[in-house]
Every structure is written in C-alpha cells, then in structure tokens.
Amino acid sequence: MKHEPLAYKMRPNVIEEVIGQKHLLSEEKPLFQMIKKEQLSSMILYGRPGVGKTSIANAFAGSTGLRFRKLNATSSNKKDLEIVVNEAKMYNETIVLCVDEIHRFSKTQIEFLLPHIEKGILILIGLTSENPYHNINLAIRSRCLIFELQPLTRSEIVEGLKRAVEDEEKGLGQYGVDVEENTLQVIADISGGDLRAAFNKLEISFLSSEVDSKNRISITVETVKNSVQKNDLNIDKSGDGHYDVLSGFHKSIRGGDADAACLMLALLIEAGDLVGISRRILCAAYEDVGLAKPEMGERALAAIQAAERLGFPEARIPLANIVIELCLSPKSNRAYMAINEAMSYVQEGKKITIPDHLKDAHYKGAEKLGHGIEYKYPHHYPIGKFGGWVAQQYLPSGMENIGFYNPGEAGQEEKFKKVYEKLKEEQLRQLNKNN
C-alpha cells in the first residue's frame, strides 16, 4: 500500500481550509473574491517553500468549477502544454493551468503559452520560490498578477498541527494521539514558518512514539527533540531569502540593534557565507559608522582577516565582536552622502574645469599653457592651527560656495566638523580678500 505523507494528505480541498495568508485570503480580500466568483486572472504565487503555494493552487481547483490541470516546469515539455491547450479547445472551456517552478520555463514554452493566455484559453497560475521580478520572463510576468506569500506564524502552524492531530480521515485522529500545546509550539518554532516541514516533524515524532497501556500515543517535547535533528532554515546562498537576511543584517547594524544583528549573523554563518558577511561588515563600517568613528574601517578589516584565517566555526567569534561594536558605535553617513552628492553633480553633465594652478605641470610645455604656475605647496607655509596650510582655490570657478560634505556631530565627526567649517571659512575669507 502506497504511503502518503501527512503533509500531502492534509492539503486543503477548498480555499476556506487554507491556513495562513490572511493578507490575500481573508473574505474581504480581492484574491478570495476572485476565487469565490470564479473570475480568476493569470497570477504568480511567490514565496518560500512550505508557505502554501501548492495548497492554495489545489484549493482553487476545489473551490471553483473550472477545469484544472497541473504541470511542473522542470519535468514538462511543450507537448504537455499542447495537450492542455487541445483539451481546452475540445471542451470549449477555459482551463486553469497551474505550473510549479514556473521560473524554469524555457523560452520556447513561454512563447507557446503566451497567445493562449492572451485569448483566455488558459488561466495561468505560476508557483515559484524565486523572486519573479528577477527570475521570471517579463512577457509572462506582465500578464500576471503577482502575490507574495508570507511564512506562517507560530499560531498558524499550531492551528495546522492541531487540525492534523484531530482529523480522523486524513490526519492522526484515528490513532488516539495525545500531544500538548507546548509540544506543538516547539514543532512550530523549529519549522521556520514552513507548515509542510511542521507536518513532517509531527509525523516523524508520531512514528517514533510508543503505544501506551491505554492504546494511546503520546508525543512529547522530548520525543520531538530526539526525532528532529535540526531546525529548518532558509539559508540557500543563491536564493532571495538569503539576500533578505543580508539586507536585514546590514540594516540591523545601521540601526544599532546588536541582538537582531547577531541573529542575522547566525543565519549567515549557517549558510557559510563568509564573503557576504565580510562585505556587509566593511560596508557598514564605512557607510554607516563612517567619520563618527573612522577607526572602525580598520577594525572591521582586521576582524574579517582573523575570521578568514580561523575559518568556521571559530570565525564566528571575531565576527560577533566586530558586529556588536559596529552596532554600538556612533553613526554618520555624511561621507557617503558627500560622495553621492558629488557624483550626482558630475552625472548632471555640467562643465567642470580644473583650476589652472592645480593642473598637471610634469611635462614640457605645461608652463606655456599656464598649468601649475601659481600653485602653492601647503607644506612650504608656516605650521599654524591647521598644520601646513595656505588659502587657495581648489573648487572650479563658480563652485567656490558649493559644499558636498555636510558634517554631523556624532562621535569624532564633531571634531572634523569644527576643522571643516574653520578651513572653509578661512579659505573663503582670504580668497575674497585677494579678489
């Protein structure tokens, strides 16, 4: 007898049985209304594995009277698509075609599908764990509504597990299973927002439990921990989820949340992405801490080099040190903003002429062109409050009063601000006096 996994048996038959995704499937939401009124449009359901893409597609079939066919882009070819189209033509009815892993469709398959979607012969429901804006052909994407599915919450997963425990037809209800709420919560916590993974963990825990003298099966927290070896983490280094973690990691450092940054760092370490971690740490040191604590650039690089020499798992130690220090350091992005402002000015295409006295004079004929003649070498002047310094024009003519750098007062930048403002003021004063 063929064994069907619990996760497969518990798939919803109608849209009301779908767990989670309330932002799409609450009664007042457009997607729910489209399904109940059988007025479907082609769409792409996008989200991590186990959040319910296939379940929702199956529920579409049960909740509508439309013909429903399902293919997988990794194993189906053009001939399979032709069979579905011919069926629609034969019955003169629109067919809802659900395609799993739609991002793997070839150009030939896409070109075949497009006219049939345009004519309404097919309504396409594409399922993908890849970001459709990155990985799905524009021709398909532009003809589809895109709905992002969210990882299920702890309470939603517990709801699904309770349903599986109590259901006598599809679930474990017929076996007399006893399981406490806190055990279901443990399963939910180690399932990474993935209901399918939670069902699998419940099933393996059930199979690992003994029947007691009352012919009951008790699933305990201890049973779950012994049966399940590792949490489910979304740590595919090539997937969108991983880039979301990298983004969250950098933003947590920027926001000074050491706990969140350590959590994101732990996820990245589990993924083994030392390169990604290093890039984010260096970028945060220069972009976000910046001039408020300039030595953090050097310290970040030293920590990264230590991590590279140690390798994982010990690399986590210098990485944690530098991440926490970055989080708790004063922040200034004024240098980052200054270069962005300068680059924007350059990219506007305005004429920028380097003053003659600053131009290269290391070649014959430069003097005849007037290049470098009046340049004043600052170190030849008396050391005053600014060191070896002399007032002269550096910005191109007409730009003397423009400032790209707008200093802040966080950390050490307060000191730089005072020097910057004094230099600017003194330079403009002397240049105006000479003119």
Side-chain angles (χ1 to χ4, degrees):
M1 181 178 174
K2 185 176 80 169
H3 170 71
E4 291 181 336
L6 179 63
Y8 179 82
K9 291 190 287 187
M10 291 304 299
R11 279 182 175 169
N13 294 318
V14 292
I15 206 67
E16 288 84 358
E17 294 178 357
V18 174
I19 293 174
Q21 312 311 328
K22 300 300 183 188
H23 65 296
L24 300 177
L25 297 175
S26 296
E27 288 192 12
E28 70 278 7
K29 298 298 181 181
L31 183 56
F32 183 89
Q33 294 299 322
M34 286 167 60
I35 296 164
K36 298 310 290 182
K37 294 175 182 178
E38 296 187 7
Q39 296 177 345
L40 293 180
S41 299
S42 290
M43 67 184 73
I44 294 169
L45 301 180
Y46 151 55
R48 284 167 45 180
V51 296
K53 299 184 295 295
T54 305
S55 293
I56 292 174
N58 288 343
F60 286 173
S63 293
T64 68
L66 300 171
R67 290 182 179 273
F68 189 88
R69 297 292 178 267
K70 188 175 178 186
L71 297 175
N72 190 303
T74 60
S75 56
S76 302
N77 53 36
K78 184 181 174 184
K79 187 173 181 180
D80 296 314
L81 297 174
E82 289 173 346
I83 292 171
V84 176
V85 170
N86 289 334
E87 181 184 353
K89 290 178 177 177
M90 182 172 64
Y91 290 101
N92 195 29
E93 290 182 10
T94 297
I95 285 183
V96 178
L97 174 62
C98 177
V99 180
D100 204 0
E101 305 288 343
I102 191 172
H103 59 279
R104 298 190 182 277
F105 253 164
S106 68
K107 186 178 179 182
T108 301
Q109 290 168 309
I110 290 168
E111 288 175 348
F112 175 79
L113 271 182
L114 290 178
H116 303 300
I117 295 173
E118 293 275 4
K119 294 173 186 175
I121 295 171
L122 298 178
I123 293 174
L124 176 67
I125 299 178
L127 312 180
T128 180
S129 57
E130 302 287 334
N131 189 324
Y133 294 100
H134 297 164
N135 298 299
I136 291 181
N137 182 283
L138 177 59
I140 286 283
R141 199 174 71 226
S142 64
R143 289 165 173 81
C144 294
L145 300 172
I146 296 177
F147 298 106
E148 181 178 5
L149 277 61
Q150 302 296 334
L152 274 66
T153 64
R154 183 198 212 193
S155 61
E156 288 169 344
I157 291 179
V158 168
E159 178 189 345
L161 293 173
K162 284 181 178 177
R163 190 182 295 181
V165 169
E166 295 166 1
D167 193 313
E168 295 185 2
E169 182 182 347
K170 300 187 293 182
L172 305 177
Q174 59 185 301
Y175 300 107
V177 174
D178 296 321
V179 56
E180 294 184 357
E181 175 91 9
N182 70 314
T183 303
L184 297 180
Q185 290 175 352
V186 168
I187 295 174
D189 288 342
I190 61 175
S191 297
D194 183 332
L195 183 57
R196 181 170 58 222
F199 282 142
N200 291 340
K201 287 172 171 54
L202 176 64
E203 184 171 28
I204 192 66
S205 300
F206 163 74
L207 295 172
S208 302
S209 301
E210 300 291 337
V211 180
D212 64 18
S213 57
K214 297 179 182 178
N215 208 31
R216 304 285 296 180
I217 295 175
S218 292
I219 301 175
T220 65
V221 171
E222 193 64 29
T223 308
V224 172
K225 289 181 178 178
N226 290 334
S227 304
V228 180
Q229 298 302 310
K230 198 171 183 181
N231 291 5
D232 288 313
L233 300 172
N234 185 30
I235 54 175
D236 175 9
K237 280 201 285 186
S238 63
D240 292 308
H242 183 70
Y243 291 104
D244 289 340
V245 177
L246 282 167
S247 176
F249 176 55
H250 190 158
K251 288 170 182 172
S252 297
I253 294 173
R254 179 182 294 146
D257 192 323
D259 298 311
C262 283
L263 176 64
M264 307 291 180
L265 176 62
L267 287 169
L268 296 168
I269 289 171
E270 282 294 312
D273 187 10
L274 182 54
V275 172
I277 294 169
S278 301
R279 289 185 63 189
R280 292 298 94 208
I281 286 174
L282 271 177
C283 191
Y286 284 100
E287 177 185 343
D288 300 299
V289 174
L291 294 174
K293 195 175 179 182
E295 65 268 27
M296 289 308 297
E298 265 183 57
R299 293 178 63 77
L301 185 57
I304 289 164
Q305 290 170 342
E308 288 171 345
R309 290 195 179 189
L310 287 169
F312 288 129
E314 287 84 358
R316 74 190 188 284
I317 303 166
L319 293 176
N321 274 269
I322 195 63
V323 164
I324 292 171
E325 190 175 358
L326 284 168
C327 285
L328 304 181
S329 292
K331 308 291 192 299
S332 169
N333 73 338
R334 300 306 176 96
Y336 166 79
M337 295 300 294
I339 189 59
N340 286 352
E341 288 285 329
M343 289 183 71
S344 294
Y345 189 94
V346 169
Q347 289 162 5
E348 286 174 2
K350 295 177 180 177
K351 185 179 180 182
I352 298 173
T353 303
I354 306 300
D356 284 345
H357 62 282
L358 300 182
K359 290 179 179 177
D360 180 22
H362 291 85
Y363 61 93
K364 287 185 178 181
E367 187 176 346
K368 293 179 181 178
L369 295 173
H371 293 180
I373 295 175
E374 296 180 4
Y375 174 64
K376 299 173 183 176
Y377 187 58
H379 298 291
H380 287 166
Y381 289 81
I383 295 177
K385 55 186 175 181
F386 302 125
W389 180 86
V390 62
Q392 64 183 323
Q393 182 178 335
Y394 291 97
L395 282 168
S397 295
M399 294 179 61
E400 292 89 347
N401 292 309
I402 287 181
F404 298 114
Y405 175 48
N406 180 25
E409 296 181 347
Q412 295 178 44
E413 194 172 21
E414 183 178 10
K415 175 181 67 178
F416 298 143
K417 178 181 180 181
K418 290 177 181 177
V419 175
Y420 172 80
E421 289 177 346
K422 285 179 181 177
L423 281 173
K424 199 80 173 175
E425 180 184 351
E426 183 68 14
Q427 181 163 301
L428 287 172
R429 187 185 68 80
Q430 292 197 33
L431 289 177
N432 290 333
K433 184 174 75 173
N434 292 336
N435 291 334

